Amino acid sequence: MKINLEWLNEYLDQPLAVTESDISDLVEEIERTSVEVDDYKTLADKQDGLIVAEVMSIATHPDSDHMVITQLDIGQSQQVQVVTGAPNVAVGQFVILAQVGAHIINHESGELIELSQVKLRGIESNGMLVALQEIGFDAKIAPKDFEAGIFVFNPEDIKDVSTGDDALAVLGMHDIVVDTDLTPNRADMLSMIGTAYEFGAMRHVTVTEPDFDLIEYETLAADQINVVIDEPSLVSKYAVRVMNNVTVQDSPLWLQKRLWNAGMRPINNIVDITNYMMLMYGQPIHAFDLDKLTGQTLHVRRAGEDEILTTLDGNERHLRSGEDIVIADDQRALMLAGVMGGMSSEVDANTKNIVIESAIFNSTLVRATARRHNLHSEASSRFERGVNSDNTFNTLDHAAALVDQLAQGQVAKGRVVAVDKQLPIIKIQLTSQRVNQLLGTQLTLADIATIFDRLAFTYENNGTALIVTVPARRPDISIEADLIEEVARLFGYDNLPVTLPVGPTTPGKLSHRQRKMRATRQIFESLGLNQAISYVLTTAEKAQKFTLAQKRPTVSLSYPMSSDRTTARQNILSGLLDDVAYNVAHSVHDIALYEQGRVFFAKNENELPQEVEHVAGVLVGELAESHWQKEKAERIVDFYDIKGIVAQYLDEIGISEKSIRYVATDQYSDMHPGQTADIYVGDIHLGFVGQIHPSILKAQKLPRVFGFELNLEHVFSNIDEDILYQKISRFPQVSRDIALLVDDNISNATIESVIWDTAYSKLVDVTLFDLYTGENLSEGKRSLAYTLTYQDDDETLVETDVNTDFEKVKQALVSGLGAEIR
């Protein structure tokens, strides 16, 4: 909010000093007491040498078809000659002259330049006639386009302007503007009056709100307009006034100055009055051209099916049926309520009769509409945060009085009120004991009452407590703690006593779950993977990749920041694939990444989603095991590399290798059907490991990618916490080798499972050391060779016991799997 201190001083019984040192002190006090200040400055900045001049005569330039020679009265019986190409210059105009030696801002470069005397095509020119854009005005706040020509004072303003006057002062460009950075709760400071109460409380100054005289004519407003509220929840206050026979023209200079110093562009006197009222009271209001309405009824309703509205910014808006609030006539929507008006009912130079509305719309719906249409206006920002309900109709009456004064409009008799819901009055009891307990102070009830006097809060003092009535202008105050905060900040945070915290201290430590999380990261990093962090939000398609055929409902955002960030992820692998694509595009070909994070599954409507902790990883490219013989050591990663990483992690995190099952699967549409396995502990599904489907890799122009994803909730719940020390046996091992000829559809895991299930307790290890397919083997057969290792912790094994058990294993392989012992 841009606060013009000259304007603000009109409401303070003791005006604020505006010298440089005083402003610096004020800004520091604002930041310590209230809100942050982005900046404070004037529109003039370092410019000088600009004066008001009157055009006395105009002559054609002998050597130009677009420039003219003007003689200007600059006061004190002096005239100067200036050559200009301004298309709108005319005799009798009061204009702005940048004299020789003046410093002005170059509107193209933004640099401060000094004017010198020049000759333009042989004719001497002593200065330059300027447009506002040439003296520091942004195009967004200048009332006329730069192409329209130089700035010309309105005839009504000439009475208060003399030739030779400092143009910067006349234009209000020396007014100091403090730009505050408001927090969302301080809606009261989105108005000059609300800010006056805040500054008055800081400086112990009383605030006087503006007064006005409203004259009504005999014509009845109710005969010209009526209002229908379709749904009570849309608006809590709504009223209109009608003004007839208005003259739409430029606003007087005093009003334009207030608008452009507040960062708003003057349009015409009617629109400027509505913006002026919004800045003064914080209450947005809007004017309709009465003659452009179809019928005599304004409807406050929700948008209908396929309804389209062209807003004042020139954009066509496709309204959301049943959600956007609109103000409409009998046939069409006229404006997005609380956000922006529409072109169809815009006030223009031909307007003669107007309707001005003032309302309090449903803040939630206004916020949703503003976000949905990406249309965050000055009005919507105020409705979203909360407006002063005590001033809703007062603002409307003040605006009508100004239309009478500045547009010669006749205010029709009566205010047409459609709804006037009275908000509950908030009263909060506050004791000095409670204040002192929280702030560590020794304030008396009288001291606290003085602070509420400064804030202009009304209260009752019953001797033991204050019963404070919260004014409607402060929607941020609703509980006792809010009042105590007001006491603290106006008492001064620097004045609060400094004490050390008192209370028992407890040593901090990680929970069991946190320790396992940390261990997970450490294990994967020790295995050579680098941690990646991907976006939690992704597209709906990517969110549901790498899941089984039975899809779970997704969590989608109502107002996503982009089309690529609409849905909460249900897997982590999709994000890692994006990371792989990024690295490959930047010529990084050997990639080993993991990510630990949450995935999200929708539950019932209006219920928070289920959050599940997952970990995933990817391998791409080559593995290098030695830098000395690089050409021999490098090899392309395969399924067994990624499976080995997963197996090592599960072993180190505390899940017994014997309890883990890898089951080949083709149920993942995004994984290679021949190189993917589900991972189980008993019947608990931990996740999967395998190669990403070639079609996905081809679409993203990626090499072979191997990945895994584990549900950490299931992993942690199956960790064997009863891990005990196991001594190393002193007795020798006994090994037996066996070669099997089996069908090629029998997996290694199946064979090892039969071995472990059959062998007795002295078997400690089973290792596959050879796989052969090819010549001399029948079609559909393959040969696998294993080493079985036996060992006893307490005694030397007996050869006959080992042989007996080994024979038992062989018989189980032959009978159970149809294996042939080679």
Side-chain angles (χ1 to χ4, degrees), residues 736-738 758-759 788 790 799-815 821:
R736 294 289 185 269
D737 291 342
I738 184 174
T758 307
L788 281 63
Y790 296 86
E799 193 80 10
T800 56
D801 293 340
V802 173
N803 291 339
T804 300
D805 187 76
F806 188 58
E807 288 298 325
K808 181 181 176 183
V809 169
K810 289 194 291 184
Q811 289 300 322
L813 291 170
V814 172
S815 60
I821 309 299

Side-chain angles (χ1 to χ4, degrees), residues 577-689:
L577 274 184
D578 290 340
D579 296 338
V580 169
Y582 179 88
N583 279 276
V584 170
H586 289 76
S587 302
V588 178
H589 303 294
D590 301 332
I591 304 165
L593 299 174
Y594 83 94
E595 180 177 358
Q596 175 198 316
R598 293 182 181 180
V599 298
F600 303 84
F601 302 101
K603 298 171 76 173
N604 297 326
E605 188 177 357
N606 298 324
E607 191 174 349
L608 290 174
Q610 179 187 4
E611 301 181 25
V612 182
E613 203 76 35
H614 276 208
V615 66
V618 289
L619 286 181
V620 184
E622 297 179 336
L623 290 178
E625 299 175 352
S626 170
H627 292 293
W628 298 104
Q629 293 180 313
K630 191 172 182 179
E631 68 282 354
K632 296 182 180 179
E634 287 186 349
R635 63 176 180 81
I636 301 294
V637 296
D638 57 23
F639 171 83
Y640 297 102
D641 292 312
I642 195 73
K643 176 176 175 290
I645 288 174
V646 173
Q648 186 68 23
Y649 163 71
L650 294 174
D651 180 60
E652 292 192 28
I653 204 69
I655 298 180
S656 171
E657 181 182 358
K658 297 179 183 179
S659 64
I660 299 172
R661 293 187 296 118
Y662 295 90
V663 180
T665 180
D666 58 2
Q667 295 301 303
Y668 297 89
S669 60
D670 304 306
M671 299 296 291
H672 193 300
Q675 294 198 44
T676 303
D678 276 321
I679 308 169
Y680 290 92
V681 172
D683 294 328
I684 304 300
H685 183 241
L686 300 185
F688 62 88
V689 60

Side-chain angles (χ1 to χ4, degrees), residues 85-105:
N88 62 326
V89 65
V91 174
Q93 291 175 336
F94 276 63
V95 295
I96 302 172
L97 170 66
Q99 303 178 95
V100 173
H103 297 89
I104 65 172
I105 295 175

